[in-house]
């Protein structure tokens, strides 16, 4: 499988990941999948937990989704154009009064 790489200067990695997180609205906390609503909220039963997806994992996922969406958009647009180009839209309409 081919590998697509992007190098980011060490000094800029934090800025890039933070920008992706903010622009794509990554929540700092998410609903706790183990939350027991029959028990009171506590340190042992928090309703929300820190997002288990790291900034790096989130950034990687967003870049992959961006690339996939672009491939899909291009290929759908191309297929539509090819389909439109292959359709014979000519029609003969005669005036019956002539």
């Amino acid at each position: 499988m081919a590998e697509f790489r992007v190098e980011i200067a060490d000094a800029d990695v934090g800025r890039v990941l933070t920008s992706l997180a903010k622009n794509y609205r990554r929540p700092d906390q998410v609903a706790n999948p183990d939350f027991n609503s029959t028990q009171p909220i506590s340190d042992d039963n928090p309703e929300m937990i820190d997002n288990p997806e790291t900034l790096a994992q989130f950034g990687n996922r967003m870049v992959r989704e961006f690339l996939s969406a672009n491939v899909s958009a291009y290929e759908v647009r191309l297929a539509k154009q090819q389909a439109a180009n292959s359709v014979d839209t000519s029609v003969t309409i005669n005036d019956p009064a002539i």
Side-chain angles (χ1 to χ4, degrees), residues 3-98:
E3 190 171 299
F4 181 82
R5 296 177 141 214
V6 176
E7 289 191 22
I8 302 168
D10 290 342
D12 294 328
V13 171
R15 292 175 54 217
V16 170
L17 293 177
T18 297
S19 297
L20 282 168
K22 295 301 180 185
N23 286 333
Y24 286 94
R25 295 178 176 88
R26 176 192 177 269
D28 292 331
Q29 291 200 317
V30 296
N32 179 3
D34 298 324
F35 177 66
N36 183 344
S37 61
T38 65
Q39 299 294 319
I41 296 173
S42 67
D43 289 343
D44 294 328
N45 187 41
E47 190 172 8
M48 302 293 286
I49 59 171
D50 289 339
N51 192 333
E53 184 178 43
T54 67
L55 282 175
Q57 291 168 331
F58 179 83
N60 184 287
R61 182 169 59 86
M62 290 299 100
V63 170
R64 287 182 287 115
E65 287 180 14
F66 172 83
L67 293 172
S68 293
N70 273 270
V71 170
S72 178
Y74 167 73
E75 290 180 350
V76 166
R77 187 173 62 249
L78 183 62
K80 286 180 180 179
Q81 186 61 52
Q82 289 171 341
N85 291 344
S86 67
V87 174
D88 180 5
T89 59
S90 63
V91 63
T92 302
I93 302 175
N94 296 316
D95 184 346
I98 299 179

